[in-house]
Amino acid sequence: MSGRGGVFNQTSSSGTVNLTWDGIVPPECQPNPSVLRLNGGLTWVEAHEPLHKDIDVNKTCGVGPGMSFANELKMDDPEIGVIGLVPCAIGGTNITQWVRGEWLYNEMIRRTKVALQGGGTIRGMLWYQGESDAIDLDDAKLYKCRLKKFFKDVRRDLELPTLPIVQVALATAPGPYMEVIRKAQLGINLPNVRCVDAKGLPIGPDLLHLTTPAQVQLGKMLANAFLQTQRVFLPSSNSN
């Protein structure tokens, strides 16, 4: 979710291998003055790639799905107004690190509540996680239960019982139990939770992370699924 599109190994003259982002930003991910991000210092700034550069600070971030998601929403409705993205993703984490009360969970909730202080409205949550849970069979078997509890806890702590959630079914995983995780993700049956399937999208040379074009496509898939949740809950007209 934090984005590894365009991130590749670069070998220095001394033989040291470092991960580097190629700096290529596709048209679908270009900045827009009405698309903002809450940065690591809890300040609203114009959003641009890499969206998570000061959030997922221990990893090399590149292109993720967030900017193409936001720009796709703007294309669907140019009058939508200002979109505020609140990046919270940390790569390589297990869902047990997102349990209510753990630092990552608490930080996500804290950032979300700070985002509301300027008068905004939470319209939904995007969730793309689970690769690390595919390493251990016990983690994989427990994933569905843990994920459902996570979604319920987020809705409770934000006091939004019908918060639209769009999650991603895994495209790859470093462990042997990816299909167990995918079955759990695709089988979540909570109200107003949608799932888009990343399987089949192009994978980078590390055989794990999505390429930049794949991240662009995923952002559009997330936007389309998100828009479906919004239209389902639009108030019906009444002629009385």
Side-chain angles (χ1 to χ4, degrees):
M1 188 71 202
S2 65
R4 302 289 182 265
V7 173
F8 62 97
N9 288 329
Q10 184 178 58
T11 304
S12 68
S13 57
S14 63
T16 303
V17 177
N18 297 304
L19 288 174
T20 304
W21 176 46
D22 60 17
I24 297 174
V25 179
E28 298 92 338
C29 301
Q30 291 295 325
N32 184 312
S34 59
V35 177
L36 307 179
R37 66 183 286 269
L38 191 71
N39 68 13
L42 302 177
T43 300
W44 287 112
V45 297
E46 185 174 318
H48 60 80
E49 300 287 6
L51 201 61
H52 280 77
K53 65 176 183 178
D54 58 354
I55 304 297
D56 195 4
V57 295
N58 292 319
K59 302 286 178 64
T60 301
C61 294
V63 174
M67 286 301 298
S68 64
F69 165 81
N71 285 328
E72 186 73 8
L73 295 184
K74 297 292 291 184
M75 287 183 63
D76 179 80
D77 181 6
E79 304 302 319
I80 195 172
V82 175
I83 297 174
L85 302 174
V86 185
C88 298
I90 303 294
T93 51
N94 186 285
I95 193 134
T96 57
Q97 295 174 261
W98 294 89
V99 170
R100 189 171 187 261
E102 292 292 328
W103 187 86
L104 289 178
Y105 180 92
N106 291 347
E107 184 68 4
M108 177 185 65
I109 297 298
R110 182 178 78 94
R111 285 177 54 78
T112 305
K113 290 183 175 180
V114 168
L116 293 175
Q117 292 177 2
T121 302
I122 301 173
R123 296 291 297 272
M125 180 174 78
L126 308 180
W127 182 253
Y128 185 6
Q129 182 273 337
E131 289 93 339
S132 296
D133 297 89
I135 297 172
D136 179 81
L137 180 58
D138 289 336
D139 280 343
K141 288 180 176 179
L142 290 169
Y143 188 79
K144 186 174 183 179
C145 178
R146 289 170 171 170
L147 185 62
K148 288 179 71 173
K149 184 179 186 303
F150 168 75
F151 288 157
K152 290 177 179 178
D153 286 342
V154 169
R155 285 173 162 175
R156 180 178 63 178
D157 288 337
L158 295 179
E159 300 180 4
L160 294 169
T162 61
L163 175 71
I165 298 171
V166 183
Q167 61 158 334
V168 181
L170 297 183
T172 62
Y177 305 111
M178 181 180 78
E179 291 304 324
V180 180
I181 300 296
R182 282 176 47 79
K183 184 177 179 180
Q185 293 168 329
L186 292 165
I188 293 292
N189 58 357
L190 294 175
N192 218 21
V193 175
R194 302 286 178 118
C195 187
V196 301
D197 197 345
K199 194 170 185 178
L201 292 176
I203 305 301
D206 64 358
L207 303 180
L208 182 62
H209 295 107
L210 300 180
T211 63
T212 293
Q215 290 281 19
V216 170
Q217 182 60 30
L218 180 60
K220 294 179 179 180
M221 293 163 60
L222 288 166
N224 290 331
F226 170 78
L227 288 169
Q228 291 174 22
T229 68
Q230 303 298 299
R231 286 160 184 158
V232 166
F233 281 83
L234 285 174
S236 60
S237 61
N238 191 326
S239 59
N240 293 335

